[in-house]
Amino acid sequence: MRQLSPGLFLVLVAFTIPLAVEFRTVAGFFGFDLPFISMILFEVVLLAILTGVYVLGRLTPDEDTATTS
Amino acid sequence: MEIHRYEKIWLAGALLLIVGFIATISYGAVGAGIEMVDDDGGQIEPNAISDHPKFSEPGTYKTGENEYDVYVVAYQFAFDPGTSDPIRVPANSEVTFHITSRDVVHGFEIVGTNANTMAIPGQVATITVEFGEPTEYGLLCHEYCGSAHHAMEGSIQVVPQSQWNESMVVN
Amino acid sequence: MATFVDRYPDEAKVVQASFAVAFIALGIGAFFGLIQALHRTNILRVIDSVDYYTLLTAHGVLLALVFTIFFLVGVFTWAIAKGFERPLPDIRLTWAWFGLMTTGTVLTAVAILAGLVPEIPMSADVLYTFYAPLEAHPAFYIGLAMFIVGTWMAGADWFLAYRDWRGDNPDERIPLQPFMVLTTMIMWYVSTLGVAVAVVFFLIPWSLGLIETVNPLLTRTLFWYFGHPVVYFWLMPAYLLWYTVLPKLAGGRLFSDPLARVVFVLFVLLSTPVGIHHQYVDPGIAEGFKFIAMTNTMFLLLPSLLTAFTVVASVEHGARQRGGEGYLSWLGALPWRDPAFAGMALAGLMFAAGGFSGMVNAGMNINYLVHNTLWVPGHFHMTVGTAVALTMMAGTYWLLPQITGKTVYSRPIGLFQVVLWFIGMVFMSNAMHRGGLLGIPRRTAEPQYQNFDFAAAVGSVGEIRMQIAFGGLLLFLSVVFFLFNVAATWAEDRVDTPVDDTIPAPLSPPSGAPLILDNLALWTGIAVVLVVLAYTLPLASIVTDSGLLGSSPGFPVAISLEALAEAAASALPHVSLDAAAGLRPLDVAAEAAETLEVSR
C-alpha cells in the first residue's frame, strides 16, 4: 500500500467536499432526488475510505517511500 | 522559438474551444434569435419622464394581435407598475418591455427566467419576451440602488385570455 | 547565506510596509464578509440592513482593491529588485508612492466607514463600482484617485529601475520576473485611464458641486473600461508566482520561459478591449460592440489556457524530479505538506473552475440568465477570491521569510489554513453559483422577498443559504489563522537562512524567445490601437446620445422622509394578489420604515 503524507491526506480530504456537495446534483440529473442527509453520508463514506488508505499505508510501509514529504 | 509538441496540441485545442464558444454564441444570436439589449430603445430625459408620451403613463399598451408593449419606470425603491400594482399581461402573448429609471441605476429581473436588463437613467432598455400559460412571476431590482434596495420588488400577472379586458391596458 | 532583506534592506522595508497594509485590509474585509454572509442568508443579523451596504462597500474596496493591490506592489518591488539584481533607483520615490497610496486608502476607508456613524455627515455606500448617479462623499473619489496615482508612480519607479538596468546591460534579455512586472504595468497604465477620466473629470467635480450632472452610462462605461483589466491586474502577481515560484516549490523549474512571455504580452494586448462584456444587458450600447467585446473576451481565454499547460507541466516536471512516476501518481510525490505549494496548487485548481464559470458569464446570450445574480460573486470569489487571494496567502509563506529574515512560525497551521480556505470556498462559491441560477440577486441585504419565492431544482434554497453561511465562516477562520501565523512569524528572531530563495533557470531558456517579445514599445502601441478600435465608437455614440455631462444630478443612498413614506406605501402588494399576501404588506411597510429611520 502506498504511503500518504499527512499533507496529501489533508488535501485529499479537501477534495472530497466538492464531490460530496455535488453528488446530489449529479443524482438529480438522472432523476434521483436524494435527501440532504445523503450528502453527509456520502462524505462520511469518502472520508472512511481515505482514512482507511492512510492508515493502511502507515501500517504496511512495504517500500521506502518516506522521501515523500 | 521552440514550441514543444504537447504545447502545440494544447494550443490547437485551446483555439478550437475558443472558436467553438464564439460559434455557439453566434448561433444563439442568429439561429436561436436571442437579441441583446441594445440602443434600440433610444434616450429619454430622466428629469422629464412625465413629458414622454408613454412613460408619463406607464403600463401595458396593446400594439397588435397578441402583441403588447409594457412601459415601466424604476425609481428608488419601486417599479411603476410592478410594485404597488402588478404588471398585467395576457397569456400566450409577445410582450416588449420598455424600462427606464428616473433616478439611479436599477436592475429589472423577472425571477426564474432569463428576462434580465439594466435600467439606466437617460436610456430606455427594451426586451421582448414571450409569455405562456397564466401564472405569476416575481420581479426584482438586481442592481444596488440605495439603502432600501432589498425592498424593491414587484410582480407580473399573466392573466388568462378569457379574463383579459380593456381596463388592463392603458390606451 | 543572505536573503532579500540582507541584500536590499531599504526595499525590504517597503515590501514589509505594503504587506502590512494589505494584511490589515484583509482582516477587516474578511470580518465584514463574514457579517454579510450571515446577514443575507438570514442566519444572524447583527447589523441593520442599511449598514449592510456600508460593509459591502468596505468589503469590496478593502479586499478587491486594497489587499490585492498593496500585496501586488510589494511582490512587484521584490521582483524588480531581485530580478534586476539592484536596488531601486531612489528609495524616496518608492516611499512617496507608498505614502500616496496609503493616504488615498485611508481617505476612502474613512469616507466609507463614516457611514456606520450617523453623527458624521459622510457616506460612501456606493459599492466598489460607484455607479453614478448614486453619489458618495467627495473624499471617497479623491482617495481613490490618490490611490490610482500612487500605483502609477510605483510603475514609474519600476520603469526607472528598468532604464538603469538597461543602461548597464544593453544586450541582455529582460529577466522574466521584471518582464512580467513591466508588461503588467503597461496594461495598468492603458486601462486605468478610463477610471481616471471618470473620477477626475466627472465624479470629483460633480460630488463637489462644480458640475451639476453626469451621464450615467458614460461613467459606467469608463468604469468598465478599467473594471475588467483590473481583474488581470489582480491576477498577474498570482501568475508571476505560479510561473516563477510554484515550479521551484514543486521541486523543479519553469517549463518554458518564452511561452510565459507570450502569455503576458497577450494580456497587455487583450485585457482592455473587453470591458463591455460587463454591460451585455445595458441599454444604449449597440449589439455589434457587445459582440466585439465577446470575441475579444473569448480570445482572452487563450493566455490562461496556455498558463494552465505551462504551470501544470512545470509542476509535473518538479514531481518527477522528486521521484514521482506514472500518468497520475506523480501528483502524490508533490510537496503537499508545504503550505506555499499546497495553497498555490489549490488556488490554481479553483481558478480552473472559476475560469469555466467565467466562460458562462462571457457567453453573451446565456449571460441573461446569470447577469447580476449571485452567480457573479460566486464566480469572482473563485477567481480573485481564491486564485488571487489564496495564491497571495500561500506566497506569503515563501516571501515573508525573505523580506523579514524570519522563518514561518508554523507550517502546519499554514497548511491547515490554505486547505480551510479551499473548503470554505467550495461551500460558499458553489452555493452562490447555484443560487444565481435560481435568480437570487447579488448585492442585496435581504434576498427574501414578499411577492415570490425562489424555486430550487435540486435541494432547497435553505440548503444554499446554509452552505453560503458555513463557507463564509470557514473562510473567515482561515483568515484568522493566516493573520495569526503572519504576526507570529514577524515576532520571531532573525535567522541566517529563513528559506531557500533561489529560483532555478527555466527548461526552455529566454534565449529561445524571439527578441520582439521584449519590445515593450511595440506591444504598448498595439494595445492602444486595439483599445481605440474597441472603444471609440461606443464612447462616441454614448456622448452623442446623452451629452458629455448627461442630465443626472446626484442621488444620495439614504433617502428623505417623503421618500420613506412613498417606499413604505409602494411596498404594499396590490390587493388583487392572492389572499395570503394580504397580511404581509404591513410587515414590509413597517420594515421599510424601520430601515429608513436608521438611515437618516
Side-chain angles (χ1 to χ4, degrees):
Chain A
M1 199 79 200
R2 202 188 138 69
Q3 191 176 336
L4 296 182
S5 73
L8 181 57
F9 174 69
L10 190 59
V11 170
L12 289 174
V13 166
F15 284 173
T16 61
I17 288 171
L19 290 181
V21 170
E22 282 309 308
F23 166 64
R24 226 156 43 110
T25 315
V26 175
F29 272 121
F30 295 102
F32 302 105
D33 280 336
L34 299 174
F36 185 68
I37 189 80
S38 64
M39 188 171 101
I40 295 167
L41 283 178
F42 188 65
E43 174 67 16
V44 169
V45 170
L46 288 177
L47 287 183
I49 295 172
L50 259 185
T51 314
V53 171
Y54 179 70
V55 171
L56 280 177
R58 295 274 135 177
L59 291 179
T60 57
D62 54 354
E63 52 185 308
D64 187 22
T65 50
T67 48
T68 319
S69 63
Chain B
M1 177 163 96
E2 188 208 335
I3 300 181
H4 197 276
R5 189 164 63 88
Y6 290 130
E7 277 175 320
K8 284 182 186 153
I9 296 172
W10 181 268
L11 186 65
L15 283 170
L16 200 66
L17 183 75
I18 289 167
V19 173
F21 278 136
I22 295 176
T24 55
I25 291 162
S26 306
Y27 169 77
V30 181
I34 303 170
E35 286 176 24
M36 297 312 296
V37 176
D38 59 11
D39 53 355
D40 282 353
Q43 282 70 43
I44 183 171
E45 180 60 41
N47 308 314
I49 284 178
S50 53
D51 298 340
H52 190 274
K54 299 286 173 54
F55 280 113
S56 57
E57 212 175 335
T60 308
Y61 288 79
K62 188 171 168 69
T63 53
E65 188 64 26
N66 275 332
E67 284 177 15
Y68 296 83
D69 274 353
V70 176
Y71 288 82
V72 182
V73 177
Y75 59 94
Q76 285 176 325
F77 299 98
F79 296 104
D80 179 20
T83 303
S84 50
D85 294 300
I87 294 171
R88 288 199 189 81
V89 293
N92 302 311
S93 59
E94 189 180 291
V95 176
T96 301
F97 287 94
H98 302 253
I99 303 142
T100 193
S101 162
R102 73 171 191 218
D103 42 40
V104 300
V105 177
H106 295 278
F108 179 94
E109 175 189 326
I110 303 179
V111 178
T113 73
N114 63 354
N116 185 330
T117 187
M118 302 302 298
I120 297 178
Q123 307 288 337
V124 179
T126 57
I127 44 170
T128 301
V129 299
E130 282 171 15
F131 284 101
E133 295 304 301
T135 180
E136 192 173 318
Y137 290 102
L139 183 65
L140 62 80
C141 169
H142 63 49
E143 184 57 81
Y144 169 67
C145 57
S147 47
H149 163 55
H150 45 273
M152 185 163 169
E153 59 172 308
S155 62
I156 298 181
Q157 282 182 350
V158 184
V159 182
Q161 287 279 4
S162 57
Q163 292 169 30
W164 184 255
N165 62 56
E166 287 304 313
S167 71
M168 295 176 182
V169 289
V170 178
N171 59 342
Chain C
M1 198 183 93
T3 188
F4 188 82
V5 64
D6 306 306
R7 274 182 231 127
Y8 311 105
D10 294 339
E11 284 70 18
K13 282 207 187 73
V14 178
V15 182
Q16 284 178 17
S18 305
F19 281 11
V21 177
F23 296 150
I24 291 169
L26 174 66
I28 302 172
F31 179 59
F32 290 169
L34 174 67
I35 295 177
Q36 288 158 42
L38 298 176
H39 188 98
R40 67 168 288 147
T41 53
N42 200 9
I43 288 178
L44 177 68
R45 288 188 170 157
V46 293
I47 50 160
D48 194 87
S49 284
V50 171
D51 290 335
Y52 178 91
Y53 301 108
T54 310
L55 295 194
L56 181 57
T57 309
H59 175 78
V61 170
L62 288 178
L63 293 183
L65 295 176
V66 180
F67 164 60
T68 51
I69 295 180
F70 266 95
F71 193 90
L72 173 145
V73 294
V75 171
F76 280 10
T77 302
W78 165 83
I80 286 285
K82 188 177 166 76
F84 285 143
E85 295 178 346
R86 62 197 300 145
L88 290 171
D90 188 346
I91 202 71
R92 286 170 303 180
L93 172 61
T94 313
W95 281 113
W97 60 249
F98 173 81
L100 189 58
M101 282 176 69
T102 310
T103 313
T105 301
V106 170
L107 206 55
T108 300
V110 166
I112 296 169
L113 295 176
L116 295 173
V117 189
E119 287 77 28
I120 306 176
M122 237 181 167
S123 161
D125 303 347
V126 290
L127 308 192
Y128 85 109
T129 46
F130 51 90
Y131 295 140
L134 266 186
E135 194 173 34
H137 191 276
F140 175 84
Y141 303 113
I142 293 171
L144 276 181
M146 289 169 72
F147 179 77
I148 301 269
V149 172
T151 61
W152 289 352
M153 284 169 59
D157 194 12
W158 302 325
F159 270 97
L160 288 175
Y162 167 58
R163 199 187 58 178
D164 288 358
W165 173 87
R166 184 51 94 198
D168 296 344
N169 304 274
D171 300 318
E172 268 189 57
R173 299 303 295 255
I174 306 174
L176 185 59
Q177 287 189 331
F179 179 85
M180 292 169 162
V181 171
L182 299 178
T183 45
T184 303
M185 290 317 292
I186 291 172
M187 179 199 88
W188 184 243
Y189 284 123
V190 172
S191 66
T192 41
L193 210 59
V195 75
V197 169
V199 169
V200 174
F201 291 147
F202 299 112
L203 298 179
I204 291 180
W206 173 69
S207 67
L208 289 170
L210 300 176
I211 55 173
E212 288 291 310
T213 55
V214 289
N215 178 344
L217 186 60
L218 179 63
T219 50
R220 190 178 154 82
T221 306
L222 288 172
F223 176 84
W224 284 118
Y225 168 98
F226 145 88
H228 198 74
V230 74
V231 312
Y232 292 103
F233 194 54
W234 303 330
L235 197 59
M236 289 306 103
Y239 271 32
L240 183 146
L241 294 172
W242 291 352
Y243 271 106
T244 60
V245 176
L246 184 61
K248 175 243 161 41
L249 295 174
R253 51 188 66 224
L254 175 62
F255 189 71
S256 168
D257 174 295
L259 216 60
R261 288 174 200 254
V262 169
V263 164
F264 275 75
V265 165
L266 283 172
F267 278 119
V268 172
L269 300 183
L270 288 174
S271 287
T272 310
V274 297
I276 289 177
H277 74 212
H278 289 260
Q279 300 176 285
Y280 280 152
V281 300
D282 275 17
I285 299 177
E287 183 162 1
F289 300 140
K290 294 176 176 173
F291 195 86
I292 292 170
M294 184 276 291
T295 50
N296 287 350
T297 307
M298 290 300 175
F299 278 103
L300 199 43
L301 287 174
L302 189 64
S304 287
L305 288 167
L306 289 178
T307 300
F309 179 89
T310 310
V311 171
V312 172
S314 311
V315 167
E316 181 181 344
H317 172 74
R320 297 200 188 280
Q321 297 298 304
R322 297 169 61 91
E325 283 165 356
Y327 277 115
L328 285 175
S329 46
W330 55 268
L331 286 164
L334 288 165
W336 292 107
R337 198 181 270 183
D338 178 0
F341 172 82
M344 285 191 208
L346 292 175
L349 192 77
M350 194 160 272
F351 188 53
F356 279 104
S357 95
M359 293 175 199
V360 174
N361 304 341
M364 205 163 73
N365 21 40
I366 207 165
N367 174 66
Y368 272 121
L369 192 64
V370 295
H371 174 77
N372 263 3
T373 66
L374 204 46
W375 171 284
V376 179
H379 159 74
F380 66 65
H381 278 86
M382 280 184 155
T383 50
V384 65
T386 303
V388 175
L390 185 55
T391 300
M392 287 180 172
M393 288 190 272
T396 303
Y397 292 119
W398 188 72
L399 287 168
L400 198 59
Q402 296 181 39
I403 61 154
T404 59
K406 300 163 179 180
T407 45
V408 170
Y409 172 74
S410 166
R411 283 159 52 101
I413 291 179
L415 179 63
F416 177 71
Q417 177 260 319
V418 296
V419 173
L420 196 61
W421 185 276
F422 179 84
I423 296 174
M425 197 56 85
V426 165
F427 276 111
M428 191 176 87
S429 175
N430 180 54
M432 282 172 142
H433 277 93
R434 290 176 56 178
L437 288 178
L438 313 180
I440 301 176
R442 67 188 284 203
R443 302 182 147 182
T444 297
E446 298 175 23
Q448 295 97 24
Y449 292 94
Q450 310 300 322
N451 284 316
F452 53 88
D453 287 316
F454 299 102
V458 178
S460 68
V461 174
E463 283 169 32
I464 287 176
R465 288 198 186 125
M466 290 304 291
Q467 287 180 27
I468 292 174
F470 182 60
L473 180 66
L474 296 187
L475 290 167
F476 176 69
L477 289 177
S478 174
V479 168
V480 171
F481 284 118
F482 172 75
L483 293 177
F484 166 76
N485 216 353
V486 167
T489 303
W490 232 305
E492 298 259 301
D493 292 326
R494 286 281 294 266
V495 294
D496 276 350
T497 310
V499 71
D500 170 16
D501 65 354
T502 53
I503 294 178
L507 276 176
S508 299
S511 55
L515 270 176
I516 195 166
L517 282 175
D518 285 12
N519 188 341
L520 299 178
L522 172 71
W523 303 122
T524 311
I526 299 178
V528 169
V529 169
L530 287 175
V531 167
V532 168
L533 286 178
Y535 266 103
T536 310
L537 289 174
L539 286 175
S541 89
I542 290 168
V543 171
T544 330
D545 286 344
S546 309
L548 195 59
L549 295 178
S551 43
S552 285
F555 288 90
V557 278
I559 49 175
S560 61
L561 259 177
E562 303 88 79
L564 179 160
E566 203 178 335
S570 61
L572 297 161
H574 194 259
V575 260
S576 76
L577 290 181
D578 59 29
L583 285 174
R584 290 181 190 152
L586 288 176
D587 305 342
V588 190
E591 224 173 84
E594 207 179 278
T595 312
L596 295 161
E597 224 167 64
V598 184
S599 71
R600 256 182 293 125

